[in-house]
Amino acid sequence: MNIENQKQFIEKVNNINAGKNLKYTIFTMGCQLNENDSEKLCGMLEEMNYTKTDNISESDFIIFNTCCVRENAEDKLFGKLGEVKKIKEQKGTIIAICGCMMQEKHIVEKIKKSYPFVDILFGTHTMHKLPEDLYTVICNKTKIQDILDIDGEIIEGLPIKRNDNIKASVTIMNGCNNFCSYCIVPYVRGRERSRNPEDIINEIENLAKEGYKEITLLGQNVNSYKGNGNLGITKFSELLRAVNKIEGIERIRFISPHPKDFSDDVIEAIRDCEKVCKIIHLPLQSGNTEILKKMNRKYTKEQYLELVDKMKAKIPGLALSTDIIVGFPGETDENFEDTLDVVKKVNFEQVYMFIYSRRVGTPGDKMENQVPEPAKHVRFDKLKALVESQIDENNKKYVGTIQKVLVEGKSKTNENMLTGRTDTNKVVNFEGNENLIGNIINLKIISEHMWYLKGEVI
Ligand code: 5AD
Ligand code: SF4
């Protein structure tokens, strides 16, 4: 897709805004894919002569990049829109909403009816058109709705302003074909579309040249990545091996794979590639075979456990993290026990826990036997207690060990401390010289706390 057209609009808005010292605020909800999209939105905005501020009351442009995976994001957006209305009244601020929620018709209708002051609505397939939409709004003083139902093409070459200068995310594919019955993503992000291998490798090589050390490859279902064969890359394992060869990059992570597609070649690539971190995110969702079937996950409890065993046997020292949903329709206390059982057996390094949230348009929303809210919360608390006790136990195992830590910067809570992460993604805080930032160093772990470890330079 040619973005030259948008570059011309960037230029036009840039000229209109010149010398005005305009500011923007961006609110990003949801996953790392959305964060990565926001980095591109920021890249376009900065080229249009806006500078970022966290103070919304001084903003000339406010943009919400939304998520619709769970209901709480909607509540957050509608709450914030009330606040923003007052700023617009005082300052004439331009307000835009984009991202996943904009692909849901009932949400767009609600915004148009209850929040008519919003200037620009655009979706996941028209993100790159922000410059054109903004130009139209500025020049014509109109409102714009730019949302497409068809899958957008992969857009290359957008400007990007990254949040970090050590770790970077690189989207390798958009969309999802799996239609898990609780999930809205396939409806709002469309079908799977993989980026060309040469574009991915080129982006990462440039990041390496800029001094980035850690790359996270992003996609809704990374292990069904399909390359066009350029650079000899047709599948995810080949992509991992190619990224592993890029000089300067020291760590590679990826999210999220689907257990049903976790083939042996991917396991072997993780084993062989020394830069690929030996912690794998393997979304479980439920430990009960009946519920997994209703979720359309295409694996059983036993198959998941067998996969974990195989991975642990092939990759020495492998750690795992996961996503779990509690309270999917029809889940009984007995079914939920299976989830607890898998958690006990696998001993995850980290578990992201979610309470099932009904999403309009998904099969799960239409299922009978929705679990009452109080029961969901009881299960959530039970799972949380188990997970925290496991994390506590696991943290103890770190004390006294030497860990390779990528130093990310100063600790946010203590100016005198530095902070970094182990290969297994544990936060380690320690005292050290600022010139260590950006390096992987050996630290001895001296104590453990629930959400971080304390280390010392050796
Ligand atoms: N309710 C609760 N959690 C959900 N997730 C996806 N859809 C829903 C939903 N409707 C969770 C899944 C997924 C993660 C990104 O969000 O666990 O892996
Ligand atoms: Fe949603 Fe399932 Fe696709 Fe993940 S794999 S985005 S949970 S439909």
Side-chain angles (χ1 to χ4, degrees):
M1 150 88 64
N2 189 341
I3 59 151
E4 284 315 307
N5 192 20
Q6 292 307 318
K7 292 215 164 131
Q8 287 173 18
F9 284 106
I10 288 183
E11 200 49 45
K12 285 182 186 171
V13 179
N14 181 55
N15 289 335
I16 295 172
N17 288 348
K20 291 187 185 157
N21 189 22
L22 300 181
K23 306 251 169 45
Y24 74 96
T25 306
I26 185 160
F27 292 97
T28 306
M29 300 163 180
C31 64
Q32 287 194 45
L33 276 143
N34 252 19
E35 290 284 350
N36 192 230
D37 283 348
S38 283
E39 291 181 328
K40 292 170 192 158
L41 293 167
C42 292
M44 291 189 266
L45 286 167
E46 302 258 337
E47 290 202 356
M48 289 188 282
N49 239 322
Y50 289 95
T51 40
K52 198 171 185 171
T53 175
D54 289 332
N55 178 0
I56 55 168
S57 59
E58 62 169 21
S59 286
D60 302 281
F61 181 71
I62 299 176
I63 180 162
F64 296 88
N65 188 9
T66 61
C67 164
C68 55
V69 166
R70 287 171 294 274
E71 192 179 359
N72 49 9
E74 283 157 30
D75 302 340
K76 235 192 252 168
L77 173 70
F78 295 134
K80 259 305 187 236
L81 282 177
E83 198 180 322
V84 153
K85 184 178 181 213
K86 293 190 198 94
I87 298 167
K88 186 181 174 77
E89 281 162 3
Q90 287 158 10
K91 219 178 142 49
T93 305
I94 298 174
I95 315 287
I97 313 179
C98 68
C100 296
M101 235 186 253
M102 295 305 99
Q103 299 295 138
E104 294 184 291
K105 287 204 173 62
H106 68 286
I107 299 283
V108 171
E109 288 314 312
K110 177 166 176 174
I111 289 172
K112 284 184 7 196
K113 191 159 159 258
S114 310
Y115 306 90
F117 57 88
V118 176
D119 299 283
I120 309 175
L121 300 177
F122 60 117
T124 54
H125 306 301
T126 41
M127 189 190 81
H128 60 289
K129 284 178 67 198
L130 171 64
E132 182 177 344
D133 293 340
L134 190 52
Y135 177 77
T136 312
V137 167
I138 293 172
C139 292
N140 303 346
K141 309 245 176 296
T142 48
K143 308 230 177 289
I144 283 231
Q145 180 177 330
D146 191 2
I147 300 166
L148 280 181
D149 268 342
I150 51 162
D151 295 353
E153 289 174 56
I154 298 263
I155 312 289
E156 296 292 346
L158 288 180
I160 185 159
K161 183 171 185 285
R162 295 186 178 272
N163 293 329
D164 195 288
N165 50 17
I166 296 167
K167 302 196 292 186
S169 301
V170 174
T171 299
I172 64 165
M173 59 191 300
N174 287 329
C176 181
N177 294 351
N178 289 319
F179 291 93
C180 301
S181 60
Y182 50 81
C183 187
I184 192 78
V185 167
Y187 306 91
V188 296
R189 289 249 172 200
R191 296 298 71 71
E192 286 171 6
R193 288 146 286 153
S194 296
R195 282 178 75 193
N196 288 336
E198 65 273 25
D199 292 327
I200 299 172
I201 297 298
N202 193 13
E203 181 176 348
I204 301 175
E205 281 173 349
N206 284 333
L207 287 165
K209 280 188 203 130
E210 288 171 40
Y212 283 87
K213 296 286 162 42
E214 181 175 309
I215 297 296
T216 302
L217 305 174
L218 299 179
Q220 300 296 349
N221 190 13
V222 287
N223 48 2
S224 54
Y225 172 80
K226 283 183 190 60
N228 58 9
N230 286 352
L231 308 176
I233 300 169
T234 57
K235 50 188 179 176
F236 186 58
S237 57
E238 292 164 348
L239 180 66
L240 274 183
R241 288 180 191 273
V243 178
N244 193 59
K245 288 198 193 115
I246 298 176
E247 214 176 301
I249 298 302
E250 299 194 34
R251 278 184 175 173
I252 304 162
R253 303 185 190 276
F254 58 87
I255 45 171
S256 285
H258 194 304
K260 79 176 165 57
D261 297 319
F262 223 112
S263 46
D264 286 353
D265 60 313
V266 177
I267 299 177
E268 282 151 20
I270 297 165
R271 178 198 62 198
D272 297 344
C273 295
E274 72 288 355
K275 295 178 187 174
V276 175
C277 293
K278 301 302 181 268
I279 178 159
I280 304 298
H281 188 68
L282 194 65
L284 169 67
Q285 313 299 2
S286 166
N288 177 265
T289 298
E290 227 177 287
I291 294 297
L292 284 167
K293 192 160 182 13
K294 287 188 187 153
M295 285 179 162
N296 194 28
R297 290 292 288 175
K298 302 194 171 73
Y299 53 84
T300 62
K301 174 184 182 183
E302 288 69 30
Q303 283 167 334
Y304 184 93
L305 288 171
E306 276 161 25
L307 174 63
V308 167
D309 283 345
K310 181 162 78 176
M311 289 168 74
K312 285 187 172 171
K314 284 198 174 184
I315 309 168
L318 183 75
L320 291 156
S321 61
T322 201
D323 289 345
I324 292 175
I325 299 175
V326 301
F328 184 77
E331 184 188 70
T332 62
D333 282 336
E334 214 179 344
N335 296 150
F336 175 65
E337 286 299 318
D338 276 324
T339 298
L340 297 176
D341 187 46
V342 175
V343 171
K344 280 181 202 146
K345 289 194 166 113
V346 178
N347 194 5
F348 295 103
E349 192 83 15
Q350 184 63 267
V351 180
Y352 300 91
M353 296 166 272
F354 305 105
I355 289 176
Y356 173 68
S357 171
R358 292 174 79 161
R359 305 286 70 207
V360 174
T362 61
D365 185 44
K366 295 181 200 85
M367 287 180 188
E368 285 168 16
N369 307 323
Q370 298 284 332
V371 176
E373 286 304 314
K376 288 185 193 169
H377 285 270
V378 170
R379 284 176 206 164
F380 184 89
D381 291 345
K382 234 178 174 177
L383 177 62
K384 187 162 170 271
L386 171 63
V387 167
E388 288 185 354
S389 73
Q390 285 187 326
I391 292 178
D392 208 31
E393 277 307 303
N394 282 339
N395 283 349
K396 287 187 186 132
K397 292 188 197 134
Y398 280 88
V399 179
T401 63
I402 311 285
Q403 295 290 324
K404 284 200 173 343
V405 170
L406 173 58
V407 186
E408 292 175 0
K410 285 187 180 174
S411 157
K412 285 202 182 80
T413 46
N414 183 345
E415 268 282 297
N416 303 319
M417 301 283 276
L418 295 177
T419 185
R421 279 174 193 265
T422 64
D423 178 273
T424 52
N425 223 4
K426 286 261 177 227
V427 174
V428 186
N429 296 333
F430 64 102
E431 275 175 37
N433 193 310
E434 268 179 50
N435 61 18
L436 294 174
I437 295 171
N439 292 303
I440 293 185
I441 59 166
N442 281 327
L443 288 180
K444 184 172 182 189
I445 306 303
I446 52 173
S447 64
E448 48 92 15
H449 308 261
M450 194 67 195
W451 301 117
Y452 69 97
L453 305 170
K454 220 165 164 189
E456 66 186 16
V457 179
I458 47 168

